[in-house]
């Protein structure tokens, strides 16, 4: 997973792994409100500078107790959607 596809929610003790074409805009909007980031238009959630989760070994220990989540989509549905 690339670093730019993660959002670190320290206060909520969670890490969101963003997967394109999978309710990404809705979940990023929720992350913006949790992080108090101002967004005027829905598409602007993709332009925000979110705190990122790094996957280095020393950081994995630090975030071991964080809730990590992602949502996946049926591959066939995603293909039809494209």
């Amino acid at each position: 997973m690339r670093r730019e596809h993660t959002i670190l929610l320290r206060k909520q003790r969670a890490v969101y792994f963003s997967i394109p074409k999978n309710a990404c805009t809705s979940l990023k909007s929720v992350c913006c409100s949790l992080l108090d980031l101002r967004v005027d238009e829905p598409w602007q959630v993709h332009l925000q500078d979110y705190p990122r989760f790094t996957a280095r070994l020393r950081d994995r220990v630090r975030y071991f107790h964080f809730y990590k989540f992602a949502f996946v989509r049926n591959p066939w549905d995603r293909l039809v959607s494209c």
Side-chain angles (χ1 to χ4, degrees):
M1 174 75 40
R2 292 184 356 189
R3 183 174 181 264
E4 59 268 13
H5 291 300
T6 64
I7 299 176
L8 178 63
L9 303 164
R10 259 194 199 94
K11 194 174 181 182
Q12 291 76 20
R13 297 183 56 84
V15 179
Y16 167 56
F17 295 89
S18 173
I19 298 174
K21 301 291 288 173
N22 198 24
C24 186
T25 302
S26 300
L27 289 167
K28 283 185 176 182
S29 296
V30 171
C31 290
C32 279
S33 64
L34 290 173
L35 295 169
D36 296 326
L37 299 174
R38 182 163 183 219
V39 178
D40 296 326
E41 298 290 331
W43 57 268
Q44 290 178 337
V45 297
H46 300 289
L47 304 176
Q48 295 298 318
D49 187 25
Y50 296 103
R52 302 294 182 191
F53 171 74
T54 58
R56 285 181 256 163
L57 184 58
R58 67 173 185 257
D59 292 334
R60 288 184 198 169
V61 173
R62 184 183 319 159
Y63 300 117
F64 181 76
H65 295 290
F66 277 46
Y67 180 75
K68 297 155 197 82
F69 67 101
F71 293 93
V72 294
R73 186 174 179 181
N74 180 337
W76 178 254
D77 289 339
R78 183 174 175 188
L79 181 65
V80 171
S81 172
C82 286

